[in-house]
Each structure stands twice: as structure tokens, then as C-alpha cells.
């Protein structure tokens, strides 16, 4: 099993703090303690809290892009593969999505301009989703439904069980395979 780099270890500690306690508890001291490194060791990788949050956002963005890209490449259907990749990345990567969630919350609470990498990724994905052979509006509704499911889970507003969650994702996957002009007709 590959050894986790100190940088990744620090980012995972920061994500865990935000997920467990909230972004207001994200301090350099808390991250160093959680990661089991000295504050000097943390400062070697991240000079400031803003730098740590920026690193967290960039790490989360890479995880998410890799998860989606992997699915796009493996999808052999000619239409809708971008929205299906988005659905599957949400379905299968709940633990990794926690890093994305925590980076968004930390950045929003400290400096929303730090969200730029994720915003750029979403702009790119939206363009792919709109130009992937499905009706643009339907494809966007599917993406927004997945985002809504994810955000409702983040804030504990989902009020659905695992079975319902799976049925929703299955239905969205089904709609992403409908080849007529309008899946929701």
C-alpha cells in the first residue's frame, strides 16, 4: 500500500476537522495536531491558513476530476457519458467527496475566491454535459439533481434512506440513457 505524503496527510486532517467540527475550527494548530506533525512541519507545506484551504480546494478538485474523468473514459455509450460520470462519481465516492465538501465549506467561510478551481471544473463539465448528445436542459436538470442530492447530504437535509438514494441515482442514470430529444417528456 503506497505511503501517504505528509502534504496529503495534512489535507486529510484539515478535511476531517471541517467535516467533524465546522470550518471555524480549522486552524493550523488543530491541523498539525490532528495530522501528528509539528506546526513547523505543517508550515513547510502551507505557510498560511489560506494556503492550506487553497491546497484543500486544489486537492478536492483533483479528486473529483479524476473520479469523473475515469468514468467518462470507461463509458462506451455515445451520448450522456458526462452526466452519467457525474452521477457515478457521486454514488461511489462518498468518502472522497467529504474532502470536496470540506474544502468548499472552508473556502466559502474564509475566502470564496479560493473556490476558483472547483468553479472552473464545473464550468468545463457543464459545457461537456450540454454538448454530449442529450437535451441540454435535461442534462443540466440531471446534474443539478445530483448536486442537490449531494448538498442535501452535506447539510443533513436529505431525509431519505439508502434505498431511496439508490433509486434516485438509478432513475437519473436511466434518464441519461434516453436517446430521444427530451428524457422528461
Amino acid at each position: 500500500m503506497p505511503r501517504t505524503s505528509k502534504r496529503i496527510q495534512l489535507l486529510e486532517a484539515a478535511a476531517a476537522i471541517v467535516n467533524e467540527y465546522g470550518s471555524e475550527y480549522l486552524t493550523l494548530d488543530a491541523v498539525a495536531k490532528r495530522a501528528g506533525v509539528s506546526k513547523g512541519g505543517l508550515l513547510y507545506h502551507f505557510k498560511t491558513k489560506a494556503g492550506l484551504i487553497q491546497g484543500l480546494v486544489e486537492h478536492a478538485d483533483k479528486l473529483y476530476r479524476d473520479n469523473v474523468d475515469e468514468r467518462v473514459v470507461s463509458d462506451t455509450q455515445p451520448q450522456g457519458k458526462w452526466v452519467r460520470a457525474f452521477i457515478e462519481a457521486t454514488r461511489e465516492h462518498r468518502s472522497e467527496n467529504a474532502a470536496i465538501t470540506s474544502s468548499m465549506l472552508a473556502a466559502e467561510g474564509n475566502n470564496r475566491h479560493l473556490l476558483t478551481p472547483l468553479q472552473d471544473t464545473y464550468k468545463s463539465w457543464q459545457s461537456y454535459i450540454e454538448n454530449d448528445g442529450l437535451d441540454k436542459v435535461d442534462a443540466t436538470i440531471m446534474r443539478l439533481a445530483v448536486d442537490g442530492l449531494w448538498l442535501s447530504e452535506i447539510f443533513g437535509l436529505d431525509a431519505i434512506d439508502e434505498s431511496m438514494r439508490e433509486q434516485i441515482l438509478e432513475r437519473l442514470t436511466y434518464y441519461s440513457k434516453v436517446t430521444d430529444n427530451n428524457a422528461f417528456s
Side-chain angles (χ1 to χ4, degrees):
M1 188 164 169
R3 203 177 123 159
T4 303
S5 75
K6 284 287 183 206
R7 180 178 170 80
I8 299 300
Q9 186 179 347
L10 291 163
L11 293 170
E12 289 173 351
I17 289 167
V18 174
N19 283 335
E20 291 172 23
Y21 305 109
S23 60
E24 64 274 14
Y25 288 91
L26 183 65
T27 66
L28 296 179
D29 288 328
V31 172
K33 182 177 180 183
R34 177 79 178 237
V37 302
S38 68
K39 188 167 180 184
L42 181 141
L43 291 172
Y44 174 79
H45 294 283
F46 304 103
K47 305 291 183 226
T48 64
K49 181 178 175 179
L52 175 64
I53 294 169
Q54 183 67 47
L56 190 57
V57 170
E58 289 168 358
H59 175 64
D61 184 54
K62 182 180 178 344
L63 284 174
Y64 208 12
R65 278 186 291 112
D66 289 351
N67 291 340
V68 170
D69 290 349
E70 178 182 302
R71 278 151 189 76
V72 168
V73 170
S74 66
D75 191 324
T76 59
Q77 294 187 4
Q79 298 174 321
K81 62 183 166 189
W82 280 96
V83 75
R84 278 191 302 281
F86 201 74
I87 292 165
E88 291 308 312
T90 299
R91 180 193 318 257
E92 295 179 13
H93 289 279
R94 274 179 146 168
S95 62
E96 288 178 10
N97 289 345
I100 299 161
T101 301
S102 60
S103 70
M104 291 173 61
L105 294 172
E108 183 63 31
N110 288 276
N111 178 351
R112 65 178 27 186
H113 297 292
L114 297 174
L115 287 171
T116 300
L118 282 167
Q119 292 166 339
D120 291 345
T121 294
Y122 263 78
K123 284 178 191 171
S124 176
W125 283 342
Q126 183 62 32
S127 177
Y128 291 136
I129 286 169
E130 287 181 14
N131 294 292
D132 196 23
L134 301 177
D135 177 84
K136 291 178 183 186
V137 173
D138 287 349
T140 300
I141 289 169
M142 289 179 241
R143 182 191 68 84
L144 292 172
V146 172
D147 279 344
L149 178 62
W150 177 44
L151 291 171
S152 69
E153 289 172 349
I154 290 169
F155 294 109
L157 305 173
D158 48 339
I160 59 173
D161 62 21
E162 284 298 314
S163 174
M164 178 60 85
R165 180 183 194 272
E166 188 59 29
Q167 289 175 53
I168 290 166
L169 292 170
E170 283 301 317
R171 182 77 50 92
L172 290 170
T173 300
Y174 168 79
Y175 286 145
S176 74
K177 294 177 181 178
V178 174
T179 58
D180 65 8
N181 286 338
N182 196 324
F184 297 110
S185 293

